[in-house]
Amino acid sequence: MTPELEDYIERHISPEPEALARIDRRTNLYKVNGRMCSGHIQGRLLKMLTAMIHPKRVLELGTFTGYSALCIAEALDEGAEIHTIEADDELEEEILLNLASSPHGGKVTLHIGDALEEMDKWDDHTFDMAVIDADKRQYPEYFKKLLRLVRPGGYIIADNTLWDGHVTETGKHSSQTKGIIEFNDLVVNTPGVEVCILPVRDGLTLIRVKEEVYNKKPE
């Protein structure tokens, strides 16, 4: 997407809330990997998808500075909640400050730790929706565990699934590219899910867990 087209889209979608704009600006100013922040376009898409799904409980893998969690929280119904897991404990204080700066931060519960280990703390069918945006090398394992945690009829959303186009390249791949490729192959070959990839930013995959074949999990 060209900068001109991105600017055009941003001027023709719902505005970015001030609290989120401040988080996005600080993230891009002070973080070396600031582009990991979801940003205006993807943030509004996450909010709209959440509003369409009406989840009562959401699980997010990979908090970063809290932008995407707050986009999801913005669309949650009264009494609904989102749990978000971040592996980098050095981000904890900044995340909590960002959550406190938003009127929707009270819907978000932050967990610091390894996502695969944290997911073992919840029972089956605990969540209506999940978002994957953490260690790309672990995407296949995240997906397998989420098939247990997300209720039948629920949704899984995965970010960065086109990985700057590296998924179509031949030859030697980085461990992160291998993880994304394995994830994409695993998802499309898993019985009991419907899948669609949106070419938004770095690729956003939407997965619906179908109730009637929920127990047909991949090996």
Side-chain angles (χ1 to χ4, degrees):
M1 184 184 299
T2 65
E4 293 79 13
L5 187 56
E6 185 170 344
D7 178 68
Y8 179 86
I9 294 173
E10 288 184 349
R11 288 186 285 107
H12 289 81
I13 62 176
S14 299
E16 183 180 38
E18 290 184 11
L20 290 177
R22 288 194 297 269
I23 293 171
D24 181 66
R25 177 172 172 76
R26 287 196 303 267
T27 300
N28 281 281
L29 279 175
Y30 301 118
K31 293 286 184 289
V32 175
N33 50 355
R35 69 189 294 265
M36 287 170 51
C37 187
S38 296
H40 183 190
I41 296 173
Q42 187 167 315
R44 293 304 86 193
L45 177 58
L46 284 173
K47 177 183 182 261
M48 185 170 289
L49 289 171
T50 304
M52 293 167 68
I53 295 170
H54 289 287
K56 293 186 181 300
R57 300 190 82 208
V58 181
L59 177 62
E60 179 186 50
L61 311 182
T63 315
F64 195 33
T65 55
Y67 188 100
S68 55
L70 287 171
C71 290
I72 294 167
E74 187 181 347
L76 290 177
D77 296 330
E78 189 68 30
E81 60 185 2
I82 172 172
H83 292 262
T84 182
I85 304 172
E86 174 55 47
D88 187 354
D89 58 0
E90 292 187 357
L91 288 171
E92 182 175 8
E93 183 177 356
E94 181 176 359
I95 294 168
L96 292 175
L97 287 172
N98 287 339
L99 296 180
S101 73
S102 166
H104 306 287
K107 302 175 186 176
V108 184
T109 300
L110 173 65
H111 304 264
I112 299 295
D114 179 82
L116 291 173
E117 294 177 3
E118 291 293 320
M119 280 193 281
D120 287 336
K121 298 177 181 179
W122 283 292
D123 296 327
D124 291 1
H125 304 173
T126 303
F127 297 96
D128 308 293
M129 173 178 146
V131 178
I132 307 175
D133 192 10
D135 186 348
K136 313 310 168 193
R137 295 166 293 186
Q138 298 292 341
Y139 266 39
E141 297 307 313
Y142 295 153
F143 177 66
K144 292 174 185 178
K145 288 205 172 190
L146 286 175
L147 285 178
R148 176 181 68 82
L149 290 178
V150 175
R151 67 166 176 81
Y155 291 81
I156 300 170
I157 301 171
D159 196 15
N160 304 116
T161 51
L162 297 180
W163 204 231
D164 283 333
H166 296 312
V167 292
T168 64
E169 296 173 352
T170 57
K172 187 175 181 179
H173 293 122
S174 70
S175 59
Q176 291 185 323
T177 302
K178 289 178 182 177
I180 294 295
I181 291 173
E182 183 182 343
F183 169 80
N184 289 337
D185 290 342
L186 175 64
V187 171
V188 76
N189 289 297
T190 296
V193 304
E194 291 180 328
V195 56
C196 177
I197 300 178
L198 302 180
V200 177
R201 291 188 79 213
D202 200 20
L204 195 70
T205 296
L206 310 181
I207 304 161
R208 186 171 76 90
V209 181
K210 293 164 62 178
E211 183 172 1
E212 64 271 19
V213 282
Y214 169 80
N215 288 320
K216 296 181 181 180
K217 301 175 185 177
E219 298 296 330

